[in-house]
Amino acid sequence: MQPHFPLAAVVAADDLKLALCLAAIDPAIGGVLIEGPRGMAKSTLARGVADLLDGGRFVTLPLGASEERIVGTLDLDAALGEGRVRFSPGILANADGGVLYVDEVNLLPDHLVDLLLDVAASGVNHVERDGLSHSHPARFVLIGTMNPEEGELRPQLLDRFGLKVELGGTPAPAERAEIVRRRLAFDADPQAFLGHWQAEQDALRQRCAQARRRLPGIPLDDAALQAIAERCYAAGVDGLRADIVWLRGARAHAAWRGAERIEKEDIDALEPFALAHRRRHAPPPPAQPQAPQAPAANQPEQGTQNEGQWGELPPRAVPAGAARELPRWPKKP
């Protein structure tokens, strides 16, 4: 199997790496949507997340996959050959414990996107079809990418993604050169490149594992919830999913820091990820102190009533001329 480019070796993209690590710490956040143009290493970063999980499994969802292939269906060989009902697992079962990656998720049919998000949030895939009733665990980190030039997701589906990261701008020349340099080194000798970054990758993997163990002990306290609710209200967010995701993400960030409770810095760190696709009102600009206005140069200063207006002439009457009398025409008999 072709090794994945290590996440620790990715140049820049710090916001995206943080969001992906938080989703790996708590998959209940609901997945990460990465929006950006082509060539921004979106798939490389997504593959790197699999190495941070215990399972390390990376499953790609093809755009042409049917619903039966995704959720699973009746095993026809067992039904016809053996006369018994047996479940044939689909892509969701294979992704359990790993990463489910959907490239160009905005091109996937809406009902399939909705299905994926339902399972990602619940961690369970329940199948009812062809006389078959089956449930199985499907706890995975959902990562979707999209290029806005090729179409948008409906707002209802955008809201279902827990976090969103927007990649924009062009890397500086020094960063571009380093990105190419590392990519060429990885392609030339993947094992040597992995060995060079082994210590950093192990440290990142261990930090995520420790955060997952610490996560259940961090309370979802009312003070953090109140602060998040006020910010969501100020941003004009519809629904309550943003509040829930933001609170879960802040707790994961606290675990990432090694803290025992949610602090303001955890709430601040999650704000751009939780509101990027949900904000309806732009935050008000900071108030600027206004300097006192000087009177205009051509505007005379107002004095008291007793001083009068110097240089002002009284109005003059203009003759209007003699009044004209309209002719009187005789009325018709």
Side-chain angles (χ1 to χ4, degrees):
M1 183 179 66
Q2 177 69 21
H4 300 150
F5 192 93
L7 191 63
V10 174
V11 179
D14 294 334
D15 287 346
L16 179 53
K17 287 190 286 188
L18 175 60
L20 293 174
C21 288
L22 296 179
I25 293 170
D26 185 6
I29 288 175
V32 179
L33 178 63
I34 309 171
E35 178 182 310
R38 296 181 296 272
M40 297 297 290
K42 299 187 292 292
S43 60
T44 300
L45 285 158
R47 288 180 173 86
V49 179
D51 294 333
L52 305 180
L53 302 173
D54 295 334
R57 185 178 302 172
F58 184 85
V59 179
T60 301
L61 179 72
L63 282 179
S66 64
E67 183 175 349
E68 290 78 9
R69 185 180 176 189
I70 294 174
V71 302
T73 186
L74 179 68
D75 189 337
L76 293 179
D77 292 336
L80 298 177
E82 305 173 12
R84 61 191 182 92
V85 177
R86 188 169 67 185
F87 177 71
S88 177
I91 294 175
L92 296 180
N94 296 332
D96 184 38
V99 173
L100 180 59
Y101 175 68
V102 187
D103 194 17
E104 304 296 350
V105 66
N106 50 320
L107 303 182
L108 201 67
D110 287 351
H111 73 283
L112 294 183
V113 178
D114 205 35
L115 185 153
L116 291 174
L117 293 167
D118 277 339
V119 177
S122 65
V124 177
N125 179 34
H126 187 69
V127 183
E128 293 276 357
R129 61 173 61 246
D130 302 325
L132 176 70
S133 178
H134 181 78
S135 297
H136 66 81
R139 187 174 171 84
F140 50 80
V141 178
L142 177 63
I143 301 177
T145 66
M146 61 175 287
N147 182 356
E149 297 176 356
E150 299 176 355
E152 296 286 348
L153 273 175
R154 290 192 295 112
Q156 296 87 340
L157 296 178
L158 272 176
D159 180 56
R160 298 290 304 277
F161 275 94
L163 308 178
K164 181 185 178 185
V165 181
E166 298 176 354
L167 298 178
T170 303
E175 291 182 349
R176 294 173 68 96
E178 185 61 24
I179 292 171
V180 174
R181 191 178 297 114
R182 294 186 186 183
R183 186 72 224 188
L184 293 176
F186 176 78
D187 293 341
D189 192 343
Q191 296 304 324
F193 188 85
L194 293 176
H196 178 75
W197 289 94
Q198 187 68 44
E200 289 83 352
Q201 187 71 7
D202 288 344
L204 185 60
R205 187 184 299 110
Q206 184 177 4
R207 185 176 181 180
C208 288
Q210 291 175 348
R212 278 193 293 271
R213 291 192 294 268
R214 191 180 296 112
L215 187 71
I218 300 177
L220 299 171
D221 60 273
D222 287 341
L225 176 58
Q226 182 64 31
I228 289 172
E230 290 176 358
R231 297 195 193 188
C232 287
Y233 179 80
V237 174
D238 288 331
L240 300 175
R241 184 173 285 111
D243 305 61
I244 298 172
V245 168
W246 195 342
L247 187 61
R248 285 186 177 276
R251 181 175 67 167
H253 190 270
W256 168 259
R257 293 191 301 110
E260 297 181 354
R261 62 189 304 271
I262 300 174
E263 302 287 351
K264 181 179 181 297
E265 62 181 294
D266 304 310
I267 299 174
D268 293 342
L270 265 292
E271 182 169 359
F273 305 150
L275 296 185
H277 49 314
R278 299 184 176 99
R279 186 191 299 275
R280 294 178 58 198
H281 299 159
Q288 298 291 338
Q290 295 183 355
Q293 295 182 354
N298 58 351
Q299 181 178 357
E301 296 184 359
Q302 298 292 331
T304 61
Q305 292 182 354
N306 296 332
E307 292 179 353
Q309 299 291 337
W310 292 95
E312 182 178 353
L313 297 177
R316 298 175 58 186
V318 178
R324 296 178 59 188
E325 184 177 356
L326 296 177
R328 298 179 179 274
W329 302 100
K331 295 182 179 180
K332 292 183 179 181

